[in-house]
Amino acid sequence: MRTSLVLMFCVFSFVLKAQQPNLQYFRPNDQRGLNTFETPKIDSVIFDGVKVRVGGDFAMQFQGLNQSNDANNLVELGTDFNLPSANLNLDVQLLDGLRMHLRTYLSSRNHNETWIKGGHIQIDKLDFVRKGFLEGIMRYTTLTIGLDEFNYGDAHFRRSDNARAIFNPFIGNYIMDSFSTEAFGEVTVQKSGLLFVIGASNGKLNQNVVVTNSSDNKPSLYGKLGFDKHFNKDLRFRLTGSFYLNKGTTTGTWLYGGDRAGSRYYSVLHTQPDSQGNTQGSSFDGRYNARFTKLTALQINPFIKYKGLEFFGIYERASGSNTFTQPIVDKEGAFTQLAAEFVYRFGTDEKFYIAGRYNSVKGKTLESTASDLEINRMNVGGGWFISKNILAKLEYVNQEYMGTAWTGRFAGAKFNGFDIEAVISF
């Protein structure tokens, strides 16, 4: 941790002394990057040699949550600061139309040590093959290759990526958090407001070339089709539909469990020691992952911005098709996630905002289960962009585990209270 802090101090000092270079086809890592989804196909930066952009993210929360369940065995939560998190970002313009990205988590909730989240190469021109090679196609096409987050759904563009929380109007991510880092390659086409994405990954969060009797190593296929149009300076409309498909039993289970940084709501649903001294709880509680095999996931995302008012929504269906005997023939079930998010931005350069979000997840892990599992969450909050790089935000959250299907520490569980978060991104 001490080494990480020293490194971040050096990086921050470097950034203060040196002007950040402009990169081609790049999403700014500050307020200017709000509501940017795929990087735009606008060739506005002239390539004049290799450019290295060193950036970073810092985030810290002051948490004041309460929790309870039917068993009355959850730990008592105090009001105090969480462990700060930090990212180191390297973006390098290597060639005209070819850029590299690398993100390192210097500190996170689940991993206090420094480790690499992922990286990729983004290709928007093929001039390195021959000047003007496939220029007519590449004017609308982007190729992305790496081991990093891949482009399933639109929610991952608005979530907090460890310390990079400047694009998230709230403090927590969605309950079913569709985010994973896998070895992947994808093609993105954008033309006249139309969007098409097709890609494939190896379906693995933890890379391993060893084959065993139980390995099937099935790849994942994913894609997106959408429409994104600015009708005038006040009105923008975007609608996309995405799919993720993996028919393996040893791959493809990480779509909702690929974030190794941990949940933003610290120590919720952790239990007190029982009579044998055993406790339950993880760094990821507050989210839900059914860990289906032979997974099929669909996500639909509307986004509307009219002047300062924004709406972002999620309709998502995730199902498994693995049939097994345990002890009778049974089959995996399905879950549906709904989310509706309203944000109103106001003030000079929209530096202030107020926001509300409703998020629910409901479904069964097995088809034969009599009752549904259900989780409901409500967030209300607001924020202030002190500068384009500094954001302070406050939220109230209430999350409940509904119905009679929950057992153990989740039966009748709920947590609520406030969170304050300070974010720096550059």
Side-chain angles (χ1 to χ4, degrees), residues 1 4 83-84 105-115:
M1 184 65 179
S4 298
L83 175 73
Y105 291 167
L106 297 176
S107 175
S108 67
R109 176 185 174 187
N110 191 49
H111 285 272
N112 297 340
E113 74 279 9
T114 297
W115 54 286

Side-chain angles (χ1 to χ4, degrees), residues 171-332:
I171 293 173
N173 292 324
Y174 299 97
I175 298 172
M176 280 175 49
D177 189 19
S178 54
F179 170 91
S180 184
T181 54
E182 302 173 3
F184 76 100
E186 68 187 33
V187 178
T188 303
V189 180
Q190 302 176 77
K191 186 179 187 301
S192 302
L194 298 177
L195 169 69
F196 173 78
V197 179
I198 190 70
S201 81
N202 69 347
K204 294 182 178 181
L205 179 70
N206 301 307
Q207 305 306 311
N208 191 339
V209 297
V210 176
V211 177
T212 67
N213 291 334
S214 61
S215 300
D216 53 23
N217 289 335
K218 294 289 183 68
S220 299
L221 181 68
Y222 62 93
K224 180 186 292 188
L225 186 65
F227 175 78
D228 190 344
K229 184 77 170 179
H230 289 80
F231 291 96
N232 52 54
K233 67 182 182 64
D234 291 331
L235 178 62
R236 177 185 178 187
F237 175 77
R238 175 183 171 99
L239 179 65
T240 64
S242 304
F243 75 89
Y244 179 92
L245 180 66
N246 183 293
K247 289 303 178 182
T249 57
T250 61
T251 56
T253 62
W254 297 103
L255 182 61
Y256 304 102
D259 178 22
R260 291 184 270 200
S263 168
R264 213 43 138 209
Y265 303 118
Y266 283 54
S267 300
V268 296
L269 305 173
H270 287 209
T271 63
Q272 302 173 7
D274 61 18
S275 58
Q276 284 78 43
N278 300 317
T279 61
Q280 299 179 56
S282 76
S283 297
F284 306 96
D285 286 326
R287 301 178 185 171
Y288 185 76
N289 178 17
R291 296 189 65 83
F292 287 134
T293 53
K294 298 186 178 180
L295 172 68
T296 299
L298 301 172
Q299 185 177 131
I300 297 174
N301 302 112
F303 173 74
I304 303 170
K305 181 172 174 60
Y306 179 70
K307 296 185 177 180
L309 182 63
E310 299 171 9
F311 169 77
F312 178 77
I314 297 176
Y315 172 83
E316 187 163 25
R317 179 81 170 174
S319 61
S321 58
N322 194 27
T323 302
F324 51 90
T325 302
Q326 190 186 6
I328 60 174
V329 174
D330 208 341
K331 187 177 179 181
E332 292 175 318

Side-chain angles (χ1 to χ4, degrees), residues 383-405:
W384 173 25
F385 280 93
I386 300 171
S387 76
K388 68 179 182 180
N389 303 103
I390 305 172
L391 171 63
K393 49 185 170 177
L394 165 70
E395 75 163 24
Y396 170 83
V397 59
N398 183 77
Q399 181 162 319
E400 299 184 36
Y401 292 73
M402 310 295 291
T404 59

Side-chain angles (χ1 to χ4, degrees), residues 340-385:
E341 182 175 298
F342 290 91
V343 182
Y344 180 66
R345 303 184 188 276
F346 59 97
T348 305
D349 298 324
E350 296 187 343
K351 64 166 54 177
F352 302 103
Y353 70 85
I354 55 175
R357 175 198 286 170
Y358 176 77
N359 188 190
S360 70
V361 168
K362 185 176 181 179
K364 302 177 181 180
T365 55
L366 298 174
E367 281 190 349
S368 63
T369 305
S371 302
D372 287 332
L373 300 171
E374 184 175 357
I375 308 172
N376 294 325
R377 181 194 291 171
M378 180 189 69
N379 304 80
V380 179
W384 173 25
F385 280 93

Side-chain angles (χ1 to χ4, degrees), residues 111-130:
H111 285 272
N112 297 340
E113 74 279 9
T114 297
W115 54 286
I116 293 175
K117 170 231 174 175
H120 63 265
I121 291 287
Q122 178 174 312
I123 303 172
D124 287 281
K125 294 181 182 180
L126 294 174
D127 287 2
F128 60 87
V129 177
R130 187 179 68 251

